[in-house]
Amino acid sequence: MQNGISRRGLLAGTAALGAWAVAGMRPAFADKATFAIPRDPIAPIPAGSSLRWVDSGDNKARFYKAFMPQYSDARGGAKIVYDGLPWDQIGTVVPLGIRNGTAQDVFSLPLSVSGAYAVANGWVQPYDDFMPDLAAWKAGFPAGAFLEGLNVFGGKTYGLPYNSGRMSSAYTLYSVPLMQEAGFDPAGKPLSWDDMRHAALKITQAGKGQRYGWIIGGSQVNRWGAVVRSLAQASGAAGGGSGPWADLDFRTGEYLFDSDAYVGAIDLLLAMKTDRSVFPGVMGMNAPQARAFIAQGAAGMILQGPWCVPQWQVQAPKFDFGSARTPAMNPAQGGATIVDAVASVNNTMWIWKGSKNQQLAADLFHYLGTVQGQTDWVNIVGPGDPPILPAAAKAAKISPRAQQVLELGETSVRVGPNPLVRNPALAGVTAVFKAPTPGFSATVQGLFSGQLGNVKQAMTELKSRMNAALDTALAEAAKKGSKVSRDDLIFANWDPSRDYVQADYNAL
Amino acid sequence: MTAPVSPRPTRRRLGARLWAARMEYLFMLPGLILFGLLIGYPMVASDWFSLLDWSGFDAKSAFIGLGNYRELWNDPYFWGAFRRSFFFMLGTVPMQMGLSLVLAIVLNNRLMKWAAVFRTAIFLPVVAPVAVTGIVLTLMLSPFNGPVNGLLMSLGVIRAPLDFLGSPDLAMPTLIVVFVWKWIGTTMVYWLAALQTVPDELYEAARLEGVKGWQMTLFVILPIILPFAIVIALVSAISALNVFPLIQSMTGGGPFYATEVMEVYIFRNAFASTAGSLPRLGYASAAGVFFGLAIMVLTLLQIASVRWMRRSTRDV
């Protein structure tokens, strides 16, 4: 750590911040792209149709802001309004619009709201009647993209699952020169936990107070849970799911918080903290700030999602970085990131039940579900929100780095069981589940900051709290008429080394 | 003989009185409508929501009476946030009032050169957007090449950089200092206004009596502006309890709830759904109502203090 303020350093930092801010204000990709929009709609669109579309923005906004004007022109000048909002605003704007009868025609569901909940509460409508070649169109998607209980209900298709769920939010993203200097090549030889710790230490020691081995956006509490979960899953912890059953071992129906893999992953972070190879001040920075320090060469590696790749490519084009699978306790164990669906649940789009513009929405859904539409998508969005059609990922004109991180999704991510597919009535549990405080991510943050003590004890107590909350929610849902039980969360035939597919659900 | 009958004062009917003051009421109407929409309705709605088990997501809700309040009573994180809110207030208000009073007295001196420039400089942070201030200060306070740590190290105050916002022990004191720096300009302006009420004749009389320097401040100025202190303390206290944007932008209530004050707690429960769980608008409303009542009690105490102070000074 330097002693005192270096004027040159301050000026350089200010200039870098300014450049970063300016870069952040311009689109990361060319917005003058042209799109191969079919000349004719899939079915006649009623005159006067219009469309209001809202999702969580980010990379997606770049696509839609470029695409929507051209799509409007191709559909006779239909008025189309696109809004990209942060998730917390989605959580208020969409439900409020539904209650007031003014919701957008197409929307993302708020986080923590399942499709089953939305259907049961009359928020959304199916689009089967508006897509003449529905069966053929759906056949173009990978197996498991459309599943009863996820986006299909009572045989009707409600959701558009157009982004892949095969993605980890904690890949190893690193500075190639710093990692090489430390003697590691994560892309060539995946890191073990010991490797990760040693690499971080070596980078820190070589940096002499100007570089650190590992960084995390620690003020974003969810990052702590995501990182520990991914480290544990990569090490063989068969914990999958999301919502109330996140981190549940579906083979036994028990939470994994106090397992060796989870406890070991937290011990790894604490060991790096003891080594002083964690970037200073991580508790006070968010994920984008942490990402920026990697590109500036101040930190060697971060466990983050593929959305960093397009950001770095645009904002720091000379930054030499690599991506690799999440470090594992023992890479030979063959652990994998477990996701709960082939398709990204958060990015699935839904048509509001009160919308009268279903035909226009279905026409747009159709384009987004074709290889052409998906290729147009990935060419602009990049690997941050990967396309669901593998053919589009292969056809995309994206950088080798972006292609590499997309391939990681195919090789290091497995689809686990999804309880909602088995029993959609479990949506009643998600509606009444009250997560305990502190939850998983907050507990990890508290352990790292030193506010909580014994790791094993803290994680055992967390498991106990989660069990109590889940049992209470199951009982409450059952009392309200949902036919649910904890047995619905046990998938004895699950083999975490491969995808859990429809045939497995049928075999239960 | 009958006693002379004095004419009874004519008591105008309510309708007549309202009609007579119709223009005044007309001018009050826009304010009343805005008050009703923006303050009255949300307050009443919060009271009602606090009695519901409701996520805020859909029309379905269940009336649970005082169930949310009972749960709050047993929630250590609620009491932690409640305690931190008042700790924050007690940490900021005396410092803010004391420092701003000193600044106001110094800058009120007509002989002082560049007083207007200093006043502007001190007031400048007040007009800067809170979120922007929070983000910039996060960088300034960073233990990695942050200028504040650099300065303290170059002055020899510290040997190693401090993690101002990441350390559970330092985060809250840091926020208190930042808050005081951000808002001290407002309090200084209040004090300057109070100082304008001290008549010039009083200064002259005191000087003739041989009063000088700190004695002038202590025995002449302070007794006169003391009643203002209660009002300024009230305004500052309420301001210190409404600190959501600053804390949210600088620490988000962390690390591990170390800076979670009531507003952040309410936001976390009302909107920021934790993993796997829907938000709890009903529960958050109960916390808001409880906290609102606590502030009301505080305000009533301060109003009582003002009245007591006025009576005391009148009796003198």
Side-chain angles (χ1 to χ4, degrees):
Chain A
M1 185 65 54
Q2 71 178 43
N3 290 313
I5 306 171
S6 148
R7 191 176 59 178
R8 187 179 295 172
L10 189 64
L11 287 172
T14 309
L17 273 175
W20 189 269
V22 170
M25 282 187 285
R26 68 186 167 82
F29 292 84
D31 284 351
K32 290 184 179 170
T34 52
F35 304 92
I37 300 167
R39 197 166 55 95
D40 298 318
I42 53 171
I45 293 170
S49 290
S50 62
L51 200 66
R52 290 165 62 219
W53 180 294
V54 65
D55 63 22
S56 64
D58 296 326
N59 289 322
K60 297 184 283 290
R62 284 201 287 273
F63 175 83
Y64 287 117
K65 282 180 180 170
F67 170 78
M68 289 304 197
Q70 292 186 39
Y71 180 70
S72 170
D73 290 344
R75 293 295 174 264
K79 187 181 174 190
I80 299 178
V81 177
Y82 169 78
D83 287 310
L85 300 177
W87 280 113
D88 57 344
Q89 286 189 34
I90 297 267
T92 52
V93 167
V94 169
L96 202 63
I98 290 166
R99 281 211 303 278
N100 295 343
T102 58
Q104 284 82 357
D105 297 288
V106 178
F107 50 71
S108 302
L109 288 175
L111 297 176
S112 303
V113 171
S114 64
Y117 178 91
V119 171
N121 285 277
W123 287 19
V124 294
Q125 61 174 306
Y127 52 88
D128 302 55
D129 297 340
F130 302 95
M131 201 176 282
D133 64 340
L134 181 74
W137 178 75
K138 283 169 75 172
F141 284 70
F146 289 94
L147 276 182
E148 185 75 33
L150 272 190
N151 42 38
V152 179
F153 298 90
K156 296 279 187 183
T157 312
Y158 283 77
L160 170 69
Y162 73 130
N163 285 172
S164 174
R166 286 185 194 279
M167 186 172 72
S168 167
S169 69
Y171 291 130
T172 309
L173 304 175
Y174 58 95
S175 158
V176 171
L178 294 184
M179 202 58 95
Q180 278 178 348
E181 195 180 309
F184 293 90
D185 173 22
K189 182 173 177 280
L191 296 181
S192 68
W193 286 2
D194 282 343
D195 292 339
M196 182 182 173
R197 183 179 175 185
H198 289 138
L201 186 58
K202 284 186 175 178
I203 291 170
T204 305
Q205 286 170 341
K208 295 188 171 78
Q210 290 305 302
R211 289 197 297 272
Y212 290 84
W214 184 71
I215 195 169
I216 181 174
S219 72
Q220 277 183 229
V221 182
N222 65 320
R223 290 308 308 157
W224 295 101
V227 162
V228 169
R229 179 181 297 124
S230 298
L231 286 167
Q233 287 182 348
S235 307
S242 59
W245 26 86
D247 307 292
L248 202 71
D249 184 341
F250 288 126
R251 295 171 302 183
T252 61
E254 291 296 325
Y255 285 110
L256 284 161
F257 298 119
D258 61 348
S259 67
D260 289 345
Y262 275 67
V263 172
I266 297 169
D267 283 339
L268 169 67
L269 302 186
L270 291 173
M272 290 198 295
K273 184 185 175 190
T274 305
D275 293 343
R276 297 181 181 277
S277 50
V278 178
F279 193 89
V282 290
M283 285 295 181
M285 72 176 69
N286 58 28
Q289 287 169 329
R291 182 167 62 218
F293 278 118
I294 290 272
Q296 290 167 17
M301 69 180 136
I302 188 170
L303 300 181
Q304 259 280 7
W307 46 84
C308 295
V309 173
Q311 302 278 344
W312 282 336
Q313 285 183 326
V314 170
Q315 292 166 351
K318 291 183 179 170
F319 173 45
D320 186 7
F321 64 92
S323 56
R325 54 172 55 211
T326 311
M329 194 187 296
N330 172 11
Q333 281 177 309
T337 298
I338 309 290
V339 295
D340 58 0
V342 170
S344 163
V345 174
N346 293 346
N347 280 356
T348 297
M349 301 305 296
W350 308 81
I351 302 176
W352 174 41
K353 191 166 190 177
S355 171
K356 303 293 179 205
N357 299 300
Q358 312 98 321
Q359 192 56 61
L360 189 56
D363 184 65
L364 183 45
F365 276 19
H366 190 277
Y367 163 77
L368 290 171
T370 61
V371 174
Q372 184 59 56
Q374 291 263 295
T375 307
D376 289 346
W377 169 267
V378 72
N379 281 341
I380 288 196
V381 173
D385 294 289
I388 195 165
L389 304 186
K394 288 195 178 87
K397 292 172 185 162
I398 53 177
S399 70
R401 282 199 182 106
Q403 196 65 256
Q404 185 190 357
V405 81
L406 276 180
E407 284 164 13
L408 274 177
E410 297 298 320
T411 56
S412 70
V413 180
R414 298 278 174 275
V415 180
N418 193 317
L420 286 168
V421 175
R422 180 186 198 174
N423 182 5
L426 285 166
V429 178
T430 63
V432 297
F433 178 76
K434 294 181 176 73
T437 303
F440 173 41
S441 295
T443 300
V444 177
Q445 190 197 40
L447 286 165
F448 189 83
S449 70
Q451 289 157 278
L452 295 177
N454 187 300
V455 176
K456 181 79 177 178
Q457 185 187 337
M459 296 305 278
T460 306
E461 287 171 3
L462 169 67
K463 180 180 177 177
S464 172
R465 285 196 299 274
M466 286 295 289
N467 271 323
L470 179 58
D471 289 341
T472 302
L474 281 162
E476 199 175 328
K479 201 171 154 188
K480 288 181 176 176
S482 300
K483 290 184 178 170
V484 292
S485 84
R486 191 133 181 177
D487 290 343
D488 294 331
L489 306 176
I490 298 174
F491 297 77
N493 62 346
W494 180 33
D495 172 6
S497 67
R498 62 172 183 80
D499 285 353
Y500 198 84
V501 296
Q502 186 64 58
D504 296 313
Y505 288 106
N506 297 340
L508 283 169
Chain B
M1 221 173 128
T2 55
V5 177
S6 60
R8 284 176 62 188
T10 52
R11 188 181 172 86
R12 295 166 69 192
R13 284 185 309 173
L14 178 65
R17 279 185 287 148
L18 285 174
W19 179 250
R22 60 189 177 280
M23 288 311 290
E24 287 83 348
Y25 286 115
L26 192 65
F27 284 123
M28 281 171 62
L29 201 57
L32 282 173
I33 291 172
L34 287 175
F35 175 83
L37 287 175
L38 302 177
I39 297 174
Y41 170 72
M43 275 176 66
V44 175
S46 289
D47 292 341
W48 171 242
F49 294 163
S50 74
L51 305 175
L52 305 176
D53 181 11
W54 187 38
S55 68
F57 268 9
D58 57 0
K60 285 182 191 168
S61 59
F63 181 80
I64 55 169
L66 297 176
N68 284 325
Y69 291 93
R70 276 193 290 272
E71 192 179 337
L72 276 179
W73 194 259
N74 295 312
D75 182 352
Y77 290 89
F78 166 73
W79 288 112
F82 193 82
R83 181 176 47 77
R84 277 187 287 274
S85 275
F86 285 94
F87 175 80
F88 187 86
M89 184 193 79
L90 293 172
T92 55
V93 175
M95 197 194 311
Q96 193 176 347
M97 288 188 66
L99 289 176
S100 60
L101 177 60
V102 172
L103 289 171
I105 290 170
V106 171
L107 294 175
N108 196 47
N109 188 339
R110 286 171 195 169
L111 300 175
M112 189 182 172
K113 303 266 186 194
W114 305 102
V117 175
F118 286 119
R119 268 202 297 267
T120 307
I122 293 165
F123 197 77
L124 216 52
V126 174
V127 294
V130 181
V132 174
T133 307
I135 291 165
V136 171
L137 282 171
T138 305
L139 297 172
M140 301 271 291
L141 294 166
S142 168
F144 181 76
N145 289 353
V148 174
N149 267 306
L151 180 67
L152 293 174
M153 285 170 74
S154 65
L155 293 174
V157 178
I158 54 173
R159 291 170 123 190
L162 296 175
D163 192 355
F164 288 106
L165 299 172
S167 157
D169 299 325
L170 288 178
M172 188 57 102
T174 303
L175 288 173
I176 286 172
V177 172
V178 168
F179 182 88
V180 170
W181 165 80
K182 173 91 176 79
W183 296 112
I184 198 168
T186 311
T187 324
M188 182 191 71
V189 168
Y190 295 153
W191 281 126
L192 283 169
L195 286 168
Q196 306 306 310
T197 63
V198 182
D200 287 346
E201 299 81 28
L202 211 59
Y203 287 111
E204 287 164 20
R207 275 191 210 104
L208 287 174
E209 294 289 334
V211 178
K212 288 179 184 170
W214 63 269
Q215 289 178 320
M216 181 77 83
T217 303
L218 201 60
F219 299 120
V220 178
I221 299 175
L222 281 184
I224 290 180
I225 64 172
L226 205 55
F228 292 94
I230 304 289
V231 178
I232 295 171
L234 175 67
V235 173
S236 302
I238 291 173
S239 163
L241 292 170
N242 293 295
V243 71
F244 176 77
L246 187 72
I247 292 189
Q248 187 68 12
S249 62
M250 291 189 72
T251 64
F256 192 67
Y257 311 106
T259 59
E260 187 176 78
V261 293
M262 274 306 298
E263 286 185 310
V264 180
Y265 175 89
I266 291 167
F267 176 82
R268 175 164 66 84
N269 282 283
F271 302 112
S273 57
T274 47
S277 179
L278 293 178
R280 301 184 64 196
L281 195 61
Y283 186 68
S285 297
V289 169
F290 191 96
F291 188 54
L293 287 173
I295 295 178
M296 202 178 287
V297 169
L298 180 78
T299 311
L300 290 173
L301 282 175
Q302 285 185 299
I303 289 172
S305 304
V306 171
R307 288 185 177 164
W308 174 80
M309 188 71 74
R310 280 183 184 155
R311 265 203 308 274
S312 305
T313 47
R314 206 167 44 226
D315 293 345
V316 172

